[in-house]
């Protein structure tokens, strides 16, 4: 038991030395770059992760599907027993304010494990009226739905649907 504790202490000490050395080296490289800039603008990482681009980047070999698009709220009546957790196990931070996340659920026939072209975490471009933009696939729908997508919306958002939405999947 004493040998195990000695090894743990030794590895902890080595780890601390390595980390402190890396931080000081990184600081020496970054400080001149920061000091050269006139202003430093704080960046909100959530905005970066969910920013919708002005012009779509659609590759020539992308898969284009026409789908039925609706919206859903993350609540028990519209989801399973854990409505604030998506199919890929991502937790929705606030169900009352989640529209800005730009997440969608897709019908299971579109997912890779059913020979579809989409995987969880894929970013797709959707043309659907006021909802046109880039979205991340985070959730799946009940098996009964086919060629369908659902936009994740904050609780209280008024219902809408698009009978012919265009889904672009870059390969």
């Amino acid at each position: 038991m004493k040998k195990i504790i000695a090894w743990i202490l030794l590895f902890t000490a080595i780890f601390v030395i390595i980390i402190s050395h890396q931080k000081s080296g990184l600081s020496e490289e970054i400080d001149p770059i920061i000091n050269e800039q006139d202003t430093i603008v704080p960046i909100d990482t959530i905005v970066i992760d969910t920013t919708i681009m002005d012009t779509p980047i659609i590759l020539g070999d992308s898969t284009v599907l026409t789908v039925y698009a609706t919206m859903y709220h993350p609540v028990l009546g519209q989801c399973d027993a854990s409505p604030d957790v998506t199919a890929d196990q991502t937790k929705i931070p606030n169900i009352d304010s989640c529209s800005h996340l730009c997440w969608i659920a897709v019908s299971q026939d579109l997912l890779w494990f059913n020979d579809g072209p989409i995987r969880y975490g894929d970013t797709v471009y959707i043309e659907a009226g006021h909802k046109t933009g880039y979205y991340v696939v985070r959730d799946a729908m009940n098996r009964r739905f086919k060629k369908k997508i659902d936009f994740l919306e904050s609780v209280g958002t008024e219902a809408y649907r698009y009978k012919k939405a265009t889904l672009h999947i870059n390969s």
Side-chain angles (χ1 to χ4, degrees):
M1 184 67 166
K2 289 181 182 180
K3 286 183 181 181
I4 294 173
I5 293 173
W7 279 106
I8 291 172
L9 291 175
L10 177 65
F11 284 119
T12 304
I14 292 171
F15 181 74
V16 169
I17 291 169
I18 291 171
I19 294 299
S20 63
H21 178 67
Q22 285 179 347
K23 284 184 180 176
S24 65
L26 184 62
S27 176
E28 292 168 7
E29 294 174 22
I30 292 178
D31 285 343
I33 296 170
I34 291 175
N35 292 333
E36 287 177 14
Q37 295 180 359
D38 294 333
T39 59
I40 298 174
V41 180
I43 298 173
D44 183 358
T45 56
I46 293 176
V47 172
I48 288 174
D49 291 342
T50 60
T51 299
I52 297 176
M53 301 172 71
D54 292 335
T55 56
I57 300 172
I58 300 170
L59 303 176
D61 64 343
S62 66
T63 303
V64 180
L65 299 172
T66 299
V67 294
Y68 187 80
T70 56
M71 51 81 68
Y72 76 105
H73 300 121
V75 294
L76 280 174
Q78 298 179 28
C79 299
D80 59 11
S82 55
D84 62 336
V85 178
T86 63
D88 72 349
Q89 300 306 303
T90 304
K91 179 151 177 37
I92 300 169
N94 180 358
I95 65 169
D96 295 319
S97 175
C98 59
S99 296
H100 71 282
L101 296 172
C102 296
W103 292 355
I104 61 168
V106 298
S107 56
Q108 291 190 25
D109 63 318
L110 298 176
L111 290 168
W112 82 100
F113 55 80
N114 290 319
D115 297 323
I118 299 174
R119 292 182 174 274
Y120 292 128
D122 283 355
T123 299
V124 296
Y125 186 76
I126 301 169
E127 294 176 60
H130 80 286
K131 297 304 290 182
T132 295
Y134 285 95
Y135 291 85
V136 178
V137 177
R138 292 276 179 223
D139 214 346
M141 302 168 72
N142 189 292
R143 288 191 179 278
R144 72 178 179 264
F145 298 110
K146 304 289 183 215
K147 287 201 174 185
K148 186 173 182 215
I149 62 170
D150 260 354
F151 296 98
L152 174 66
E153 294 288 2
S154 304
V155 172
T157 302
E158 194 171 324
Y160 58 85
R161 69 175 175 226
Y162 295 96
K163 292 182 180 179
K164 289 189 177 182
T166 305
L167 175 64
H168 298 269
I169 308 158
N170 287 334
S171 303

